[in-house]
Each structure stands twice: as C-alpha cells, then as structure tokens.
Amino acid sequence: MPGRKLRRRTARLTKAAAVAPRPVDKLRPVVRCPSIKYNRRVRAGRGFSLAELKEAGIPKKYAPTIGISVDPRRANLSTESLAINVERLKAYQARLIIFPRRVGQHKKTDSSKEEVDAHKEEGKITRKTHSVLPIVNEAREKAIGEIKKSDMGEGESAAYRKLRDARSEARLVGVREKRAKVKDDEATAAKK
C-alpha cells in the first residue's frame, strides 16, 4: 500500500504528541542474548527484575508510572548484570524530571519547580529513551578473543598436557597402587 508508510509516520507522531512530554518508549534493561552462539552480544530486555528495582530503590508499582518496564519473572543470574542494570536505573533516575499532574500541586516525588520550569524553557524534552541511554555492544577488538602462545606466561606453555597428565594420574591411582602392592608381595615371597 502506498499510503501505509505515511499512515505509520503520522500515527507515531500523534502518539508522541499524546504522551508528551513523556518519552514514547520505556526504559529497558541490558540483557545477554541466549545460546553460546550469541551470548557475546547484549540487547534490550523485556523489563527490569524486581531485584534490580529493589537495589535501585524504586518500588515495583511506581516503576511503570515513570517509564520503566518491569518483568517480575526475570531472575538475575549474575551480579555483573545486576550491577549494570542498577547503574542504568540510577542514571535514568538522575535524568528524570517528573512534572506535577496538576498545576500548583507538587508532591514529594515530583521534581522541583525550578527544574520543571528550566526544562520547559530550554525544550530539552527527550522523545526516545534509548537515544539517551543506548545499549552498546563491545567492539570486537576489546572483546575477549583467542589467546595466543606469545601472550601466555612462562609456565603455561604446556597447560593442556599438564591437565591431561593430572587427569590420567587421578584415574590410574588405584591400579598403580594395586600393581605396587602385588610387586611388593612377589618381592617378599621371593626373599623367603
């Protein structure tokens, strides 16, 4: 359809105008892609876990009202991801300016009158959250790659061989003890 592109564009603009001065999208967490093939990449997740919200000091019912997506089913499997997302929430909170619902009636959760007025005058209203707090993947040069022999330390040149030998020793302990015992028994029998 030739007019679909235009219809979608106008729909996006009307939505942005309806929710203004709020951003169109919600803040989403940084998560790793599943499977070994893709887990080096990070992407936007469905929502912040309850543990992340608790760590950042944001009530779970209050979070969606200030543009933070929440996923109560998500669990944090590592402290690193928890720390990254808590930092993301705190950065968002630091930038956040909450306008009062009714003019002249300020609540303690609202931003100060000076902040609100300054933002209205400057016109620094953000339309998209991901443009302010983007999710970026590490460059390939910085990411952990294959280790070369020249990068290894002195005693690590035959690490694989050492591991195989240690495994073999552990596996054959009982057999070798039995052989040694039989040999000793034969030696003592030969002496008599």
Side-chain angles (χ1 to χ4, degrees), residues 7 28 30 38 47 49-50 63-64 73 80 83 85 102 110 119 125 128 136 142 144 148 151 158 160 171 176 187:
R7 278 204 307 273
R28 298 197 180 274
V30 176
Y38 297 110
S49 69
L50 299 179
R73 294 169 297 183
E80 289 87 1
N85 284 322
R102 290 184 182 83
D110 295 341
H119 249 63
I125 295 168
K128 292 184 178 171
V136 286
K142 290 182 182 177
I144 297 169
K148 298 178 183 81
D151 296 341
Y160 181 73
R171 196 164 32 100
R176 287 183 177 153

Side-chain angles (χ1 to χ4, degrees), residues 86-105:
V86 167
E87 197 62 41
R88 192 169 163 78
L89 283 168
K90 287 182 179 172
Y92 179 74
Q93 267 188 307
R95 294 184 67 99
L96 189 67
I97 290 178
I98 301 171
F99 287 70
R101 285 197 173 199
R102 290 184 182 83
V103 178
Q105 293 181 354

Side-chain angles (χ1 to χ4, degrees), residues 84-176:
I84 288 167
N85 284 322
V86 167
E87 197 62 41
R88 192 169 163 78
L89 283 168
K90 287 182 179 172
Y92 179 74
Q93 267 188 307
R95 294 184 67 99
L96 189 67
I97 290 178
I98 301 171
F99 287 70
R101 285 197 173 199
R102 290 184 182 83
V103 178
Q105 293 181 354
H106 276 281
K107 291 183 177 178
K108 66 177 182 179
T109 53
D110 295 341
S111 298
S112 66
K113 196 172 187 340
E114 295 80 34
E115 279 184 315
V116 171
D117 291 339
H119 249 63
K120 278 184 180 175
E121 287 170 14
E122 292 173 24
K124 283 186 181 176
I125 295 168
T126 306
R127 290 275 170 248
K128 292 184 178 171
T129 310
H130 64 82
S131 63
V132 178
L133 295 167
I135 296 172
V136 286
N137 279 292
E138 281 186 16
R140 283 205 168 183
E141 297 81 41
K142 290 182 182 177
I144 297 169
E146 208 172 302
I147 299 169
K148 298 178 183 81
K149 278 193 173 183
S150 59
D151 296 341
M152 287 186 184
E154 279 296 310
E156 298 175 9
S157 57
Y160 181 73
R161 182 76 256 153
K162 285 179 188 172
L163 284 170
R164 295 300 302 175
D165 290 344
R167 197 172 185 183
S168 162
E169 288 285 332
R171 196 164 32 100
L172 298 170
V173 159
V175 176
R176 287 183 177 153

Side-chain angles (χ1 to χ4, degrees), residues 29-31 47-55 71-86 89:
V30 176
V31 296
F48 288 92
S49 69
L50 299 179
E52 289 164 350
L53 290 169
K54 191 174 186 180
E55 195 82 22
D71 184 8
R73 294 169 297 183
R74 200 171 136 250
N76 290 100
L77 300 178
S78 69
T79 54
E80 289 87 1
S81 70
L82 178 84
I84 288 167
N85 284 322
V86 167
L89 283 168

Side-chain angles (χ1 to χ4, degrees), residues 178-192:
K178 190 176 178 183
R179 274 193 209 143
K181 191 176 182 185
V182 169
K183 203 173 188 181
D184 287 342
D185 291 345
E186 285 176 3
T188 51
K191 282 183 184 177
K192 289 181 185 176

